Amino acid sequence: MNNRLIIIGVVILAALYVFFSSIYVVNEREQAIVMRFGQITDVRTEPGIYFKIPTDFVDTVQVIEDRLLRYDIANMRVQVSGNAFYQVDAFLTYRISDPRLFRERATGQLSVAEARIGASLDAALRQVYGLREFSAALSDQRGQMMAETRDLIRPDLANLGIDVVDVRILRTDLDADVSATTFERMRAERLAEAALLRARGQEQAQSLRAIADRQAVEIVAAATRDAEIIRGTGDAERNRLFAAAYGQDQEFFEFYRSMESYRNALVNTGTTMILSPDSEFFRYFGSNGELPAANTNLAPPIQPTAAPITQQPTDEPALDGLGIEETTVPSITLEDGSELTPTQGTEIPVPAEEPAAAPAQ
């Protein structure tokens, strides 16, 4: 009885082993290759439950990925046209499209396939970057570069049964040496531009300063000229009035001038004068306070008229009537097209007007 149970148990275990070793499951993310004594007999790409010869001595099954796979490459140093270098990060997405060819060419191992993928991606990126100038990878040519890299890799990896879906460039940075050189070049360009703007500003400042100095000299000269003309005209008018007054009443004029002399000479200045009482200076001191008799034979009054202020005529262009030539104000044009013009802060004084005529007496 016990032997029979043991035999039944062994038979059941053997049947279970044969059953489970004769089936295999392929899910939706996998593909399966069935091999008999190392030779490929079948390829299963659809998900489901399949049967094979029991045990793994005759038929063996190798599972192959059916998902999109990714291969990354980082800190790759590539050279562009002009002997400059970039640091590049990129990745590639692929799918195993032919499991039979993948088994025959890459033994069905992803490690073997990725070694080939890495070499192909490296060579393709170097070729694409090497055909372009330094700034191409940072411009709108980036998409075209990725498409060219993908097209270069596809034929090579198709021999492994791999279909390249896409190639993407994640990062393109300047190499450390190139970055330092580029920074120094940009710094030198900015310094040169700043020096140019500073020189142009100094040139404009000197021009404006020269114009302002010339205008100041001309304004002062014009004002001095007008002042001298007015002063001379005033002196002439004063002398004319004195002469008219003297002509009307000589005695009163002499009395008035004597009083003015007393007031100006005898002020409280501490000055001591010793003069003879009979001197002409004290002529009116001996009158006992009596005023001289009024002159009844007066000359007719003379109406004072102001002497006109005359200026020398000139044919030169003038600014505000002061003989200052108009000057084109310099300006500075910046890189953005805007212009800087100096402010006009010099105010020209108004020319002196002719004095009003004195009222008639």
Side-chain angles (χ1 to χ4, degrees):
M1 186 66 181
N2 291 332
N3 292 334
R4 183 180 298 176
L5 292 176
I6 294 173
I7 294 172
I8 293 173
V10 171
V11 171
I12 292 174
L13 290 175
L16 291 175
Y17 173 76
V18 169
F19 175 75
F20 284 108
S21 62
S22 63
I23 65 172
Y24 61 93
V25 178
V26 178
N27 60 38
E28 63 275 5
R29 295 174 297 176
E30 297 174 341
Q31 304 175 86
I33 299 175
V34 181
M35 295 173 291
R36 182 169 298 169
F37 300 111
Q39 299 295 323
I40 299 176
T41 59
D42 198 3
V43 176
R44 302 294 184 180
T45 59
E46 298 296 330
I49 300 176
Y50 299 93
F51 293 91
K52 64 180 183 65
I53 296 177
T55 74
D56 292 334
F57 297 102
V58 179
D59 287 350
T60 56
V61 178
Q62 183 177 9
V63 177
I64 304 296
E65 290 284 351
D66 195 29
R67 297 176 296 176
L68 276 177
L69 302 176
R70 170 170 169 165
Y71 179 82
D72 289 86
I73 186 169
N75 298 325
M76 177 182 175
R77 192 168 185 260
V78 297
Q79 183 178 6
V80 298
S81 178
N83 297 326
F85 290 90
Y86 276 128
Q87 292 288 339
V88 177
D89 291 348
F91 71 90
L92 175 147
T93 55
Y94 65 96
R95 175 185 287 112
I96 300 174
S97 59
D98 190 341
R100 185 185 297 273
L101 191 59
F102 182 72
R103 168 65 188 183
E104 293 174 352
R105 301 290 175 85
T107 68
Q109 302 295 325
L110 288 178
S111 58
V112 177
E114 288 184 348
R116 182 74 171 272
I117 292 172
S120 299
L121 181 58
D122 184 279
L125 286 174
R126 293 183 186 278
Q127 179 178 346
V128 170
Y129 273 88
L131 296 176
R132 284 171 170 80
E133 297 294 333
F134 182 73
S135 60
L138 304 178
S139 65
D140 54 358
Q141 298 184 32
R142 190 185 186 95
Q144 182 181 356
M145 293 172 64
M146 293 187 292
E148 289 182 9
T149 304
R150 180 195 60 196
D151 295 339
L152 287 173
I153 296 176
R154 270 182 173 174
D156 185 29
L157 297 185
N159 295 329
L160 298 180
I162 295 175
D163 179 29
V164 177
V165 178
D166 198 8
V167 173
R168 291 291 168 180
I169 298 175
L170 294 176
R171 178 178 67 95
T172 301
D173 286 341
L174 294 174
D175 190 65
D177 297 336
V178 178
S179 179
T181 304
T182 304
F183 174 77
E184 290 299 328
R185 185 178 71 252
M186 294 174 62
R187 182 173 179 270
E189 291 176 354
R190 298 288 81 78
L191 289 176
E193 184 177 358
L196 176 61
L197 291 176
R198 192 176 295 110
R200 292 173 61 186
Q202 292 176 355
E203 177 186 359
Q204 299 295 337
Q206 292 177 357
S207 176
L208 291 175
R209 193 175 295 112
I211 294 173
D213 292 342
R214 181 173 63 84
Q215 289 181 348
V217 171
E218 293 178 353
I219 292 171
V220 172
T224 303
R225 180 198 62 199
D226 289 347
E228 293 297 331
I229 293 174
I230 295 172
R231 187 177 294 108
T233 304
D235 291 341
E237 181 67 15
R238 181 194 61 184
N239 295 334
R240 190 186 65 80
L241 292 176
F242 279 150
Y246 184 81
Q248 274 191 292
D249 192 343
Q250 180 178 357
E251 183 68 22
F252 176 78
F253 182 75
E254 291 178 356
F255 173 77
Y256 174 78
R257 294 298 296 270
S258 297
M259 295 298 104
E260 287 292 325
S261 299
Y262 297 154
R263 184 173 61 181
N264 295 330
L266 301 177
V267 294
N268 188 18
T269 60
T271 302
T272 302
M273 294 187 299
I274 301 177
L275 299 173
S276 173
D278 298 331
S279 66
E280 186 67 22
F281 186 75
F282 295 113
R283 174 183 174 186
Y284 290 99
F285 271 40
S287 60
N288 296 324
E290 295 180 2
L291 295 176
N295 187 3
T296 59
N297 186 18
L298 297 177
I302 301 175
Q303 298 297 332
T305 57
I309 300 176
T310 60
Q311 296 182 357
Q312 296 296 330
T314 177
D315 296 334
E316 298 181 356
L319 179 62
D320 291 340
L322 295 180
I324 303 176
E325 297 180 359
E326 295 183 355
T327 304
T328 303
V329 179
S331 62
I332 300 177
T333 303
L334 301 180
E335 297 296 333
D336 58 359
S338 59
E339 291 188 357
L340 293 179
T341 56
T343 57
Q344 302 299 314
T346 304
E347 296 183 357
I348 308 302
V350 180
E353 298 179 356
E354 297 181 357
Q361 296 181 355

